[in-house]
């Protein structure tokens, strides 16, 4: 629980309503089921952008690198 969070997307529901993932999850791993909806995911992205740009207050921004998450794309 004190390590980096790694996102795994479920790709199907198996027998007995079990979730199946496209990557292995080690036995006895801590799992946090994330929730959200389209509106909250878009708001979170906008908030992150505004927070980051605010940290450059008074300085010109000549370029930016934007990275998208495949999990967000799949959900949306």
């Amino acid at each position: 629980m004190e390590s980096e969070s790694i996102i795994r997307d479920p790709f199907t529901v198996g027998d007995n309503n079990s979730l199946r993932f496209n990557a292995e999850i080690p036995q006895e791993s801590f799992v946090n089921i994330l929730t959200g909806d389209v509106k909250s995911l878009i708001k979170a992205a906008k908030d992150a952008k505004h927070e980051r740009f605010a940290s450059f207050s008074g300085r010109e921004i000549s370029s930016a690198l934007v990275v998208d998450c495949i999990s967000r794309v799949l959900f949306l």
Side-chain angles (χ1 to χ4, degrees):
M1 289 180 23
E2 295 180 18
S3 64
E4 177 182 358
S5 294
I6 300 173
I7 295 176
R8 298 285 187 250
D9 294 310
F11 67 90
T12 188
V13 177
D15 300 334
N16 300 322
N17 290 323
S18 61
L19 296 176
R20 293 193 178 179
F21 298 86
N22 60 357
E24 186 174 323
I25 298 175
Q27 191 169 350
E28 299 185 21
S29 293
F30 176 79
V31 176
N32 184 3
I33 306 289
L34 303 176
T35 61
D37 56 30
V38 172
K39 187 176 179 178
S40 68
L41 290 175
I42 292 172
K43 181 181 181 318
K46 286 180 181 178
D47 291 349
K49 179 194 80 162
H50 291 300
E51 182 179 318
R52 177 50 47 206
F53 283 3
S55 71
F56 290 97
S57 179
R59 295 186 287 169
E60 182 179 335
I61 300 172
S62 61
S63 62
L65 171 66
V66 178
V67 179
D68 197 3
C69 172
I70 189 64
S71 296
R72 188 182 307 257
V73 172
L74 294 172
F75 184 83
L76 294 175

